[in-house]
Amino acid sequence: MYVFAFALLLLTLLASLGGGGLALLQLWQGREDSLRIVEKAHVVISGALLIASAILLHALFWFDFQVQYVASYTDRILPVFYRLTAFWAGQPGSMLFWALAVALSGSLFACTRAFKKLSGSTRLWYWTFFYAIMGFFALILTSWSNPFMLQSPAPADGSGLNPLLQNPGMIIHPPLLFLGYGGFTIPACLALAQALSGRASVEGAWYRISRPAIILAWLFLTSGIVLGAWWAYMELGWGGYWAWDPVENASLIPWLIGSAALHTLIIEDRRNKLGRVNVAMMALTTVSAFFATYLVRSGIIDSVHAFGDGGVGTPLTWFVLAGLVVSLWVPLMAPKQGRPLSGLDSREGFLTLVAWVLLALAAIILVATMWPVISKLWASAPRGLDANFYNRVCLPLGAVLMLMMATCPWLGWGGGLRNKTAFFSILGVFVASGAAIWFMGYRQPTALLGAASAIAIVTGMLFQLADKAVRRQPNTLGALGAHLGMALMALGIAFSGPYKQERDLHLTVGQSQTLAGYTATLLELNEGERPGYDYIAARIRVMDKDGKDLGIVAPERRVYEKFGSMQFSEVDVIPSLGNEIYASLLGLDEDSHVVVKLSVEPLVNWLWIGGAIMSLVPLVGLRRRKQASAAEAAELAQGMDEDLDGDMDGDESGETRGAASASSAGRNKSA
């Protein structure tokens, strides 16, 4: 059966090479008569990967330890849901899952009416790029990262799943990231294809055709990152949610580039400018996803999330470099379009500035993450940059970005303010909220700017929602939801980061200690054994400064028999929309006192609430508008420079419009 599974991976490689090669041959000959054969290859690829994935899941479910991958990541006491999600726990399985996500995304897109209306040359170029990516996946899976390697004799039991991965967040977090990476592959390939075919004026712009894929990919990637932060907060036991770990950074870089592209796509959609820039940025989003994979799997950096080299580092390096060349060369070959951008006092200029800030953040994080490698050029003992560097550089830029998000909706496309009453009202809210936060004693400049800007964003949304025309636009509502979620996340970060208070408490049973006005009393300490691990567990009652009983936290410390002397923390919290109480059991000190890290996390749950809103509400933007107004269509066709406030979308923020949709929902019904 496993020989058959490997044969399916080989079939995927052959179908990718054959389909891509035939597509190139047709383009070279200027023919399209074999297009149907070219397009049959994706069915073979998706079917082969689906069956191979089913075989691996079968092996995981039935404890087939003759498969090295199954023996490495499962054991007989692992619950079935963790056993099946071990599919993506290791390098070979996660590469197979990512390949499957890309293949299914391509097959679903190929079934849409929008795709079938594309010209033959665009489709041939699209399949050329798509099959190149699928061929690379198949090469990795058949050469360096085969999930169906066998061993003999088969062990009686497996090594087990890393306890850090036995968490609900890790069941969902990795596949969401891979679905995001895979989803962005579709618009990236289509953008490059249409840039080479030059058929946008006939078949419709690529970003309108692939709009659902862009939205879903961005949402998947967003929710994957948020869930990863929640997993770190609940599982690692240090009381934080973002440590600027290299692999955390790696997932953030594609998100930043993709978000920048969403904003510049608005300019192309509304003003017919930045066409070549948007092709490059959408392609770079996919290339950066492979770079993230390179960081995780090349062994070039140390991380709690990294898999080690496994032999895939070198091929990934060459593939990323090749993708970078293609992403920059193809847009340069496309003809220029549009006119110069308007000034920074216009919505067009501000959207461009927003994109530049997002790209600057991506570049800073990229260089800082790779700093240990870069500094090897002149240092014999290179060192990485710690979290303080990222906080000093990235967080101020993030706060400025929030202020720009509050300002941009009120700028006209041709310059100036389009609604002075709303703008100055929001400015007043920004100043008043900033002053109130200052007088409450929260005076850290970056946090103050970010929090006041978040409040201004929420206020601005209320003004926009007061307009019926805005409420009738699903894409606008989805975009507003994305920015509302971002504002709430910024509010949570502004307070939970710099104003968190924590202390290591040394307690005996019945003893109490205080932190930030809260009293913690150790009620009992238990120890015991459960299947697969030994544990100690504390029960701690927490009361506020008024003596009110807030509840009991019961953190644990575990030692798993298959992971040697490594200790793992199971935290517990008393949730609150204000101050959340966070407890992590560190162990026993030399006097046999229980050592508990107790933290007061202000407004941290608004981060998760905002993340959920940001990941779910933009789904409404997938609905199509019934019809665009004739005035709007005329303005778009003429590329008018004056403010578009009088059209159907006049009250819609150009910035928020793109955060979830990247284009007008109804201008191409086939999308």
Side-chain angles (χ1 to χ4, degrees), residues 203-220:
E203 61 198 14
W206 63 267
Y207 53 87
R208 294 176 187 156
I209 296 169
S210 61
R211 176 178 165 272
I214 296 174
I215 295 176
L216 288 173
W218 188 85
L219 292 180
F220 282 135

Side-chain angles (χ1 to χ4, degrees), residues 392-417:
R392 289 194 307 268
V393 177
C394 297
L395 292 185
L397 282 175
V400 170
L401 190 62
M402 298 304 297
L403 182 59
M404 296 170 69
M405 287 169 59
T407 305
C408 189
W410 311 107
L411 298 177
W413 284 102
L417 297 174

Side-chain angles (χ1 to χ4, degrees), residues 356-575:
W356 271 113
V357 172
L358 289 167
L359 291 175
L361 282 168
I364 291 168
I365 293 170
L366 170 62
V367 173
T369 302
M370 295 296 292
W371 192 251
V373 179
I374 297 172
S375 59
K376 284 182 180 179
L377 298 174
W378 61 81
S380 57
R383 297 178 59 186
L385 300 174
D386 61 13
N388 290 327
F389 167 82
Y390 292 97
N391 291 334
R392 289 194 307 268
V393 177
C394 297
L395 292 185
L397 282 175
V400 170
L401 190 62
M402 298 304 297
L403 182 59
M404 296 170 69
M405 287 169 59
T407 305
C408 189
W410 311 107
L411 298 177
W413 284 102
L417 297 174
R418 68 185 186 87
N419 189 331
K420 293 183 179 180
T421 301
F423 175 79
F424 286 110
S425 298
I426 293 163
L427 179 62
V429 169
F430 171 78
V431 173
S433 59
I437 294 170
W438 172 275
F439 285 114
M440 290 169 63
Y442 301 101
R443 299 179 180 179
Q444 204 276 343
T446 301
L448 179 61
L449 176 61
S453 300
I455 295 171
I457 290 171
V458 175
T459 305
M461 289 179 184
L462 296 178
F463 275 93
Q464 293 178 78
L465 290 172
D467 192 308
K468 291 182 179 179
V470 171
R471 297 198 301 271
R472 286 198 299 265
Q473 304 302 318
N475 57 312
T476 306
L477 294 177
L480 289 174
H483 280 209
L484 172 62
M486 189 72 244
L488 295 179
M489 289 184 70
L491 196 64
I493 293 170
F495 285 93
S496 64
Y499 300 114
K500 177 179 73 173
Q501 299 184 65
E502 60 184 3
R503 178 186 174 189
D504 290 350
L505 308 181
H506 296 252
L507 301 169
T508 58
V509 175
Q511 186 179 4
S512 300
Q513 291 188 18
T514 61
L515 169 66
Y518 295 92
T519 301
T521 304
L522 179 62
L523 300 179
E524 59 180 320
L525 178 68
N526 300 310
E527 59 180 308
E529 181 179 349
R530 297 188 185 121
Y533 64 88
D534 298 326
Y535 72 94
I536 57 173
R539 286 174 52 82
I540 302 169
R541 184 178 301 280
V542 180
M543 306 181 76
D544 65 11
K545 61 182 178 181
D546 298 323
K548 180 182 178 181
D549 186 353
L550 298 180
I552 294 175
V553 286
E556 295 185 6
R557 198 77 177 170
R558 298 176 178 178
V559 178
Y560 288 77
E561 63 181 50
K562 293 185 178 179
F563 289 86
S565 59
M566 294 176 61
Q567 297 185 15
F568 299 88
S569 178
E570 290 293 319
V571 306
D572 198 11
V573 299
I574 299 176

